[in-house]
Amino acid sequence: DFELSQVKAFPNPTNNVWNINTNNQNIQSIAVYDVLGKQVFTSNPNASEAIIDSNNFSNGLYFAKVKTNSGESNLRLVKN
């Protein structure tokens, strides 16, 4: 699906926050998981942009599941 590829996270890798941006798609929910599958963050922004604050996260790899009106997208996030 073309629209799902329009979900972006930047800066990635980050030191403090990731900006989640869609191509004018409404973000219904965001869930972030660590490499062990533990959920470490959730948000229901109900907007086309959102911010994930990673200041309380350990350095490493994370996975974000972003649900929009047109479906679901998975992102890899890196915290420095």
Side-chain angles (χ1 to χ4, degrees), residues 15-16 18 40-41 52-59 62 79:
N15 294 321
N16 49 17
W18 290 286
V40 294
F41 176 87
I52 299 173
D53 182 354
S54 68
N55 285 316
N56 295 327
F57 294 10
S58 300
N59 290 353
Y62 294 88
K79 162 76 185 224

Side-chain angles (χ1 to χ4, degrees), residues 23-35:
N23 193 15
N24 295 321
Q25 290 292 314
N26 188 48
I27 301 171
Q28 296 170 338
S29 66
I30 300 171
V32 178
Y33 302 89
D34 65 14
V35 291

Side-chain angles (χ1 to χ4, degrees), residues 2 6 15-17 20 24 29 31-32 36-37 42-44 49 53 57 79:
F2 174 75
Q6 297 301 311
N15 294 321
N16 49 17
V17 298
I20 306 299
N24 295 321
S29 66
V32 178
L36 300 176
T42 64
S43 177
N44 299 305
E49 297 179 2
D53 182 354
F57 294 10
K79 162 76 185 224

Side-chain angles (χ1 to χ4, degrees), residues 3 6-7 21-27 47-49 68-70:
E3 292 191 34
Q6 297 301 311
V7 178
N21 199 332
T22 65
N23 193 15
N24 295 321
Q25 290 292 314
N26 188 48
I27 301 171
S48 64
E49 297 179 2
T68 67
N69 295 340
S70 63

